[in-house]
Amino acid sequence: MNQNTKKTLKIILPLLLGVFLVWYSLSKVSFDELLVYFKKADYKWIFIGVFFGLLSHLSRAYRWRFMLEPLGYKIKLGNSIMAVFSAYLINFTIPRAGEVARASILSNYEQVPFEKGFGTIVSERIADVIVMLAIIAITLFLQFEFIYNFFISRFNLSKIMIGGLVLLVMAILILVFIKRSNSLIALKVKAFVNGLIEGILSIFKMKKKWSFIFHTLFIWVMYVLMFYVTSFAVEELDSISMGAILIGFISASFSIAATNGGIGSYPLAIYAAFSIFGIVKEPSLAFGWIIWSSQTLLIIIIGGLSLIYLPIYNRQKNS
């Protein structure tokens, strides 16, 4: 398979998967039913959720400057904000292309070398992964009894223990193999782990490390609040537990990587998570489509305006 074919498949397959998941989601609940939920939704909470989403994106743009300052670049906040929103919008077309575009925008308008700009984006993703893992750990701790009882009620305890033991042995064998092997896969894993450690340590070497840590936590608090308050827009989810919210949030966050911007996969991920708590599919899917649509509309509007205004803004600054 040549490189052009691989690139084409990387673009087409996620789009096809997204289209399929949209169809599958609408097969679970009709479009007319969804329309009813959209009509009777409390838009006050949707707008508050959008506001929290906006704050998280602005905080991400502001945080980015902390990573570039030690490299000797003090970029304009306007360029940072528009680069972030442009990247989000571009990710809806080609997966991961937004990160490349974001570094390119910085290179074009702030004369930051592409590789340095892209390196900071990778480092901030590492910080985000750490926070996401912390959220998962907190959720498992808070909901341990529920999750334990859920699996016990559906699976045989001895099979779970045997499965867990098998996974542990496999993990140990894989770690030993990676440590001793010089294969391409092993080297890539080693490089990723080393990069993860280096990225973590670089945060503490940063001049404004506490500001960086604050904004990183703020971004994710806003993400969770965005998810939580939007649930109030759907009347049937008024009594939803915080545990369901957290597990739904984690599931939805991972779904974004499956398709371009989570199209199709986002509502289904929420439905799958909420079903664990016995929440019926109609309001679950409706909530998924409401929050995905509102946040996507925010990205389309501000991302589109950013792409248009970037050259105008920088021409004015340079004149």
Side-chain angles (χ1 to χ4, degrees):
M1 188 181 294
N2 59 45
Q3 290 298 319
N4 288 333
T5 304
K6 286 181 180 179
K7 287 180 181 178
T8 303
L9 287 175
K10 284 181 180 179
I11 296 170
I12 292 175
L13 289 179
L15 287 172
L16 290 176
L17 178 61
V19 171
F20 168 75
L21 292 176
V22 169
W23 169 82
Y24 182 75
S25 174
L26 294 177
S27 71
K28 293 289 183 182
V29 55
S30 70
F31 181 77
D32 289 337
E33 282 181 284
L34 275 180
L35 201 58
V36 170
Y37 279 100
F38 269 86
K39 285 180 178 178
K40 70 176 186 177
D42 189 340
Y43 279 84
K44 170 185 68 181
W45 295 112
I46 296 175
F47 286 125
I48 293 173
V50 169
F51 177 67
F52 285 144
L54 177 62
L55 287 180
S56 71
H57 303 324
L58 293 175
S59 182
R60 180 176 295 280
Y62 193 74
R63 182 187 68 170
W64 195 17
R65 302 170 81 213
F66 297 142
M67 306 191 75
L68 290 160
E69 281 182 11
L71 302 177
Y73 302 98
K74 193 170 183 178
I75 66 170
K76 301 179 188 76
L77 180 59
N79 278 335
S80 184
I81 291 170
M82 287 187 281
V84 166
F85 276 101
S86 297
Y88 285 146
L89 180 60
I90 291 168
N91 273 335
F92 278 101
T93 57
I94 304 173
R96 302 298 100 196
E99 281 73 13
V100 175
R102 188 172 153 193
S104 299
I105 289 169
L106 216 61
S107 178
N108 289 336
Y109 297 117
E110 294 284 357
Q111 285 70 56
V112 178
F114 174 83
E115 62 278 6
K116 290 186 178 182
F118 191 76
T120 60
I121 294 169
V122 173
S123 295
E124 74 170 25
R125 290 301 184 202
I126 291 170
D128 289 332
V129 167
I130 293 167
V131 178
M132 187 65 188
L133 291 174
I135 292 172
I136 293 170
I138 292 168
T139 303
L140 289 173
F141 176 77
L142 293 176
Q143 297 295 313
F144 177 78
E145 187 176 353
F146 176 84
I147 294 170
Y148 175 79
N149 290 333
F150 173 79
F151 280 103
I152 289 297
S153 65
R154 285 163 175 75
F155 304 99
N156 184 279
L157 179 59
S158 59
K159 289 182 179 180
I160 292 174
M161 293 178 68
I162 292 169
L165 185 61
V166 169
L167 288 173
L168 180 62
V169 171
M170 288 177 63
I172 292 170
L173 291 173
I174 290 169
L175 287 172
V176 171
F177 170 76
I178 290 170
K179 188 175 181 180
R180 295 181 179 180
S181 174
N182 289 319
S183 68
L184 182 61
I185 295 174
L187 291 173
K188 283 185 175 181
V189 173
K190 287 178 186 176
F192 174 78
V193 173
N194 289 334
L196 187 66
I197 295 169
E198 188 178 347
I200 295 168
L201 295 177
S202 68
I203 292 169
F204 292 97
K205 294 175 183 177
M206 203 179 298
K207 188 177 179 181
K208 297 180 179 178
K209 58 180 176 290
W210 295 114
S211 296
F212 178 88
I213 292 168
F214 168 78
H215 277 277
T216 300
L217 295 175
F218 179 82
I219 288 165
W220 285 90
V221 168
M222 289 301 104
Y223 282 159
V224 175
L225 281 176
M226 168 198 79
F227 196 89
Y228 180 55
V229 301
T230 307
S231 70
F232 297 152
V234 180
E235 186 181 352
E236 289 81 354
L237 299 180
D238 276 349
S239 59
I240 191 169
S241 68
M242 197 61 200
I245 288 292
L246 287 172
I247 291 176
F249 171 78
I250 292 166
S251 179
S253 297
F254 281 112
S255 75
I256 293 173
T259 58
N260 299 17
I263 183 170
S265 62
Y266 197 92
L268 285 172
I270 291 174
Y271 161 56
F274 284 2
S275 65
I276 297 172
F277 294 84
I279 301 170
V280 293
K281 64 183 177 183
E282 288 81 5
S284 299
L285 286 169
F287 167 65
W289 278 111
I290 286 170
I291 189 170
W292 182 84
S293 301
S294 59
Q295 296 298 325
T296 299
L297 187 61
L298 172 71
I299 297 301
I300 290 172
I301 293 172
I302 303 184
L305 290 173
S306 295
L307 285 172
I308 294 168
Y309 189 62
L310 263 167
I312 300 169
Y313 174 78
N314 285 280
R315 186 173 67 242
Q316 289 175 346
K317 289 286 181 181
N318 294 327
S319 59

